[in-house]
């Protein structure tokens, strides 16, 4: 199974080490957000890993939304309750909500569909920086602080017309836009889910970009080059 090397489970409690979380971000998502580096003081488990674990646990429903309510630190126990309602609250071992899921419609537990959606969505999700975010920051004349980059996964949702696959599934961006406030921005990524050449689902991912500063092309370009160098070296 795709996720087996990225967590451990004992007495129904899932634990993720900083190294496992970082490996998932880099190997599966191609995501080099510094927040997922094991030695980062603000380290957190990637939202995409929590999303992937949730799909593995609950399957894929025709309509699902995921809201990340608190960060998960290294080795913090996570509890996935039984799905006895359309509203599921995943908590850490201290009882604090970390991920809330709402689901409706039919549910598929087909491992081919689940693994295909995980693999393709997390690669799409990991494209955000620099490919998608850099042009939007330039357009709005803002950027995050390169010395303390803070780009956080807030939520995502999707709806399927069909849960039956006839061809390999893939995910593509359909639109992206920025809503800027004083010191933060909401970054929205709309995406289509394809079965071969046919769109069978649509979704949206929301990120929060905090600590905004006036756009400085030289500084953000240097950060982007360093980011791409880390990706290439890996």
């Amino acid at each position: 199974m795709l996720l087996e090397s990225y967590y451990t489970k004992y007495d129904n409690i899932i634990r993720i080490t900083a190294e496992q979380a970082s490996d998932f971000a880099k190997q599966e998502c191609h995501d080099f957000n510094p927040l997922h580096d094991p030695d980062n003081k603000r380290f957190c488990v990637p939202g995409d890993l929590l999303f992937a674990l949730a799909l593995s646990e609950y399957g894929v429903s025709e309509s699902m939304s995921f809201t990340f309510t608190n960060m998960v630190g290294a080795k913090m126990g996570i509890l996935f309750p039984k799905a006895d309602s359309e509203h599921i609250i995943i908590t850490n071992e201290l009882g604090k909500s970390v991920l809330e899921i709402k689901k409706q419609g039919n549910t598929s537990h087909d491992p081919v569909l689940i693994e295909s959606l995980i693999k393709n969505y997390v690669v799409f999700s990991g494209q955000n920086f620099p490919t998608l975010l850099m042009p939007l920051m330039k357009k709005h004349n803002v950027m995050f602080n390169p010395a303390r980059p803070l780009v956080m996964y807030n939520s995502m949702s999707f709806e399927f017309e069909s849960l039956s696959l006839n061809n390999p599934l893939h995910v593509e961006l359909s639109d992206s836009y920025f809503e800027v406030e004083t010191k933060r921005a909401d970054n929205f990524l709309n995406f289509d889910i394809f079965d071969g050449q046919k769109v069978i689902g649509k979704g949206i991912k929301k990120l929060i970009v905090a600590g905004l500063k006036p756009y400085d092309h030289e500084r953000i370009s240097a950060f982007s080059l360093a980011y791409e160098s880390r990706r290439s070296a890996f």
Side-chain angles (χ1 to χ4, degrees), residues 213-233:
K213 301 171 66 68
Y215 185 79
D216 182 325
H217 185 72
E218 185 174 338
R219 288 191 68 198
I220 199 63
S221 295
F223 181 91
S224 178
L225 285 171
Y227 183 97
E228 291 288 19
S229 294
R230 291 182 65 209
R231 178 183 281 173
S232 298

Side-chain angles (χ1 to χ4, degrees), residues 35-233:
L35 286 176
H36 307 318
D37 289 344
D39 58 353
N40 192 310
K41 293 180 179 179
R42 295 179 293 169
F43 168 85
C44 69
V45 171
D48 282 331
L49 179 50
L50 298 180
F51 162 77
L53 289 168
L55 288 191
S56 297
E57 183 75 21
Y58 303 119
V60 179
S61 296
E62 289 175 320
S63 176
M64 299 186 82
S65 66
F66 303 79
T67 302
F68 299 93
T69 48
N70 279 289
M71 291 183 176
V72 176
K75 296 184 181 180
M76 172 61 73
I78 311 167
L79 289 82
F80 287 75
K82 291 184 178 180
D84 53 5
S85 73
E86 293 182 341
H87 185 197
I88 303 167
I89 300 177
I90 296 166
T91 63
N92 63 23
E93 59 189 330
L94 303 178
K96 182 178 289 188
S97 166
V98 297
L99 173 61
E100 296 193 13
I101 303 170
K102 293 181 180 179
K103 61 188 186 71
Q104 290 182 322
N106 296 322
T107 299
S108 171
H109 293 277
D110 176 6
V112 174
L113 172 63
I114 293 169
E115 188 156 326
S116 182
L117 180 57
I118 290 172
K119 283 184 174 179
N120 285 276
Y121 174 75
V122 302
V123 170
F124 160 79
S125 182
Q127 295 177 36
N128 187 65
F129 186 84
T131 308
L132 305 177
L133 190 52
M134 285 279 285
L136 289 170
M137 292 194 297
K138 183 176 182 180
K139 177 181 178 181
H140 291 273
N141 200 34
V142 294
M143 68 179 190
F144 54 72
N145 183 351
R148 291 174 58 85
L150 197 54
V151 180
M152 300 170 292
Y153 200 163
N154 176 265
S155 61
M156 72 86 72
S157 61
F158 60 73
E159 293 189 357
F160 275 91
E161 295 178 4
S162 171
L163 295 176
S164 298
L165 285 181
N166 298 309
N167 301 282
L169 180 152
H170 64 281
V171 176
E172 293 183 10
L173 180 74
S174 60
D175 189 23
S176 63
Y177 56 98
F178 232 34
E179 291 183 357
V180 180
E181 299 178 13
T182 305
K183 287 293 183 180
R184 55 165 273 178
D186 294 333
N187 179 200
F188 296 92
L189 305 174
N190 294 329
F191 58 90
D192 292 330
I193 304 169
F194 287 81
D195 175 4
Q197 299 300 312
K198 180 183 178 182
V199 175
I200 59 168
K202 292 181 177 293
I204 185 167
K205 172 184 178 180
K206 178 184 176 183
L207 291 149
I208 294 173
V209 184
L212 290 184
K213 301 171 66 68
Y215 185 79
D216 182 325
H217 185 72
E218 185 174 338
R219 288 191 68 198
I220 199 63
S221 295
F223 181 91
S224 178
L225 285 171
Y227 183 97
E228 291 288 19
S229 294
R230 291 182 65 209
R231 178 183 281 173
S232 298

